[in-house]
Amino acid sequence: MPNPKSNPKLQKVLICVGGGIAAYKVCELVSTLFKTGVEVRVILTRSAQEFITPLTLATLSRHPAYTDELFWQPTHSRPLHIELGEWADLLVIAPLTANTLAKLAHGMADNLLTNTVLASTCPVLLAPAMNTDMWEQLTVQRNWRQLLTDSRYHGMGTASGLLACDRVGAGRMAEPPEILTYIQSLLHTGGKRDLAGKRVLISAGGTREYLDPVRFIGNPSTGKMGLALAQAALHRGAIVTLVHGPASWDVPLGVQAIPVINAEEMQHVMREYLPNADMIVMSAAVADVKPRDYSTEKLPKRSLPQSLPLEPVPDIVSELAQLKQPHQRLIGFAAQTGDIVTPALEKLRSKKLDAIVANPIDQADSGFGSDNNQAIFLDQQGRQIEIAPCSKLQMAHHLYDFALTGKT
Ligand code: C5P
């Protein structure tokens, strides 16, 4: 389980549940947050209680849940919305209904949830959920855009799919793991958008070089590090393009993903997107060689060659380094065993990168396929920073901190 406590000062999350069927998914979110060590408190609106009970969320969060019945009760020494607003490092409104959205967009406060939002200054993560026609109403979209003009609010997109009204369309709430990842990002950054408007181009996963339609040269990379880099950049305000090899994960809402199979395809896409990128992070594990010959028919076992003639694939990042403009930052990865620093420094120089992530792949719970990672960051200025084992999302945030400030 990833531990989100990278910023030990920020770990108090107030989940505000609105009245929609997606409220049932918030139970899983609260449960997972608690297990990852975050302090969780929950507010339910009156209509949220029609879908799930305060008892469910109190049990999962290990703390009484707050409802409008408790608002302004004389037993509280200080007004509850002030207490809660001051307590929270982060507010999450999930599901955000059309009604609560409209109130927030106009600064209204008529229940505990909306009063607490106005009585706090921390970042607010919004996860809307509603029927497609409701979500697409001009008034709702206007309120949504209006609310997001305030940098305090971080809006998650809605997914398309089967809705509770049996329609298929936009308006589904983001899934709990995606909300959880966004929460972990905001706990790390405190809500800052230091990549706002920047275009970040990321390569991820392993490439495959086919010998025939079923056999290939590849490696165990799953693309999870590149996925985390895409999520972290998105949550810091970037416009993200993710060029990835075969992968088993879902592309995050709001990320432009371009699937590729082999190094040449990856090279073409990276070249095409390079001119507009401000930062390029090459985390892909590119297969270094390919079979010289390709058979369009599956080779029978008896015709398989005893030894395979190979030829090199293009070194994508070296080419990008030649093509890039001085303002563009180019960061590579070096997956290594044993001494990770010497070969990484060599690659930093020979490939003319701005920075490189030396990544051990012979340590437990780190590198290929793991949810966690450890690394040493090195850059052209001679800086060298060791990052202790942490989740890949945290690693991604440390890397952006390093790239933007030289520190983590
Ligand atoms: O495989 P190697 O250790 O040389 O990878 C170092 C960096 O070079 C990584 O960022 C990787 O994505 C990139 N690379 C590439 N094209 C290749 C091989 C590696 O862009 N053919």
Side-chain angles (χ1 to χ4, degrees), residues 14-15 17 42-50 52-55 57-58 64-73 76 80-81 84 111-113 116:
L14 182 60
I15 305 280
V17 191
V42 182
I43 292 177
L44 295 94
T45 62
R46 215 177 282 279
S47 42
Q49 294 172 66
E50 302 289 335
I52 46 173
T53 70
L55 179 62
L57 291 168
Y66 300 101
T67 60
D68 283 351
E69 284 71 48
L70 297 171
F71 198 21
W72 296 120
Q73 272 208 357
H76 295 296
L80 186 56
H81 60 299
L84 287 172
N111 59 11
L112 180 58
L113 188 161
T116 305

Side-chain angles (χ1 to χ4, degrees), residues 17 22 94 104 108 119 129 167 195 247 261 270 300 342 351:
V17 191
L104 294 178
M108 286 170 62
R167 286 267 306 271
L195 287 173
I261 304 286
M270 294 299 285
T342 312
K351 297 189 183 229

Side-chain angles (χ1 to χ4, degrees), residues 6-50:
S6 65
N7 185 343
K9 292 196 287 294
L10 296 183
Q11 52 165 322
K12 298 200 278 297
V13 177
L14 182 60
I15 305 280
C16 305
V17 191
I21 182 58
Y24 87 92
K25 295 188 180 177
V26 175
C27 301
E28 185 191 330
L29 179 66
V30 170
S31 172
T32 314
L33 270 175
F34 178 81
K35 286 184 206 151
T36 55
V38 173
E39 260 188 273
V40 197
R41 302 275 185 273
V42 182
I43 292 177
L44 295 94
T45 62
R46 215 177 282 279
S47 42
Q49 294 172 66
E50 302 289 335

Side-chain angles (χ1 to χ4, degrees), residues 119-264:
S120 58
T121 54
C122 62
V124 185
L125 179 62
L126 305 168
M130 62 197 84
N131 154 279
T132 308
D133 287 335
M134 293 173 79
W135 175 241
E136 289 176 352
Q137 284 297 323
L138 281 182
T139 47
V140 172
Q141 286 300 312
R142 198 185 300 137
N143 286 338
W144 179 241
R145 285 194 301 276
Q146 170 70 24
L147 196 55
L148 294 182
T149 58
D150 181 343
S151 62
R152 193 186 167 200
Y153 293 99
H154 295 255
M156 299 195 71
T158 67
S160 275
L162 180 65
L163 301 169
C165 52
D166 279 341
R167 286 267 306 271
V168 176
R172 278 174 66 88
M173 190 173 78
E175 294 300 326
E178 201 161 349
I179 301 177
L180 181 71
T181 305
Y182 214 134
I183 290 173
Q184 290 168 338
S185 280
L186 293 174
L187 290 176
H188 180 99
T189 62
K192 70 172 178 276
R193 284 189 175 82
D194 48 7
L195 287 173
K198 300 276 182 227
R199 289 183 187 273
V200 178
L201 174 62
I202 298 161
S203 74
T207 55
R208 291 179 180 179
E209 303 297 338
Y210 278 86
L211 165 67
D212 68 13
V214 294
R215 302 180 181 96
F216 60 85
I217 296 176
N219 57 65
S221 171
T222 54
K224 283 185 183 176
M225 189 62 235
L227 171 67
L229 284 160
Q231 290 166 320
L234 185 79
H235 300 159
R236 294 168 90 126
I239 302 155
V240 183
T241 303
L242 178 63
V243 183
H244 65 85
S248 59
W249 31 260
D250 292 332
V251 175
L253 294 169
V255 167
Q256 179 192 22
I258 304 173
V260 296
I261 304 286
N262 60 32
E264 251 168 63

Side-chain angles (χ1 to χ4, degrees), residues 282-284 286-288 313-317 332-336 347 351:
M282 192 76 200
S283 70
V286 184
D288 292 308
V313 298
D315 190 323
I316 305 169
V317 84
F333 270 67
Q336 302 293 155
K347 282 174 193 175
K351 297 189 183 229

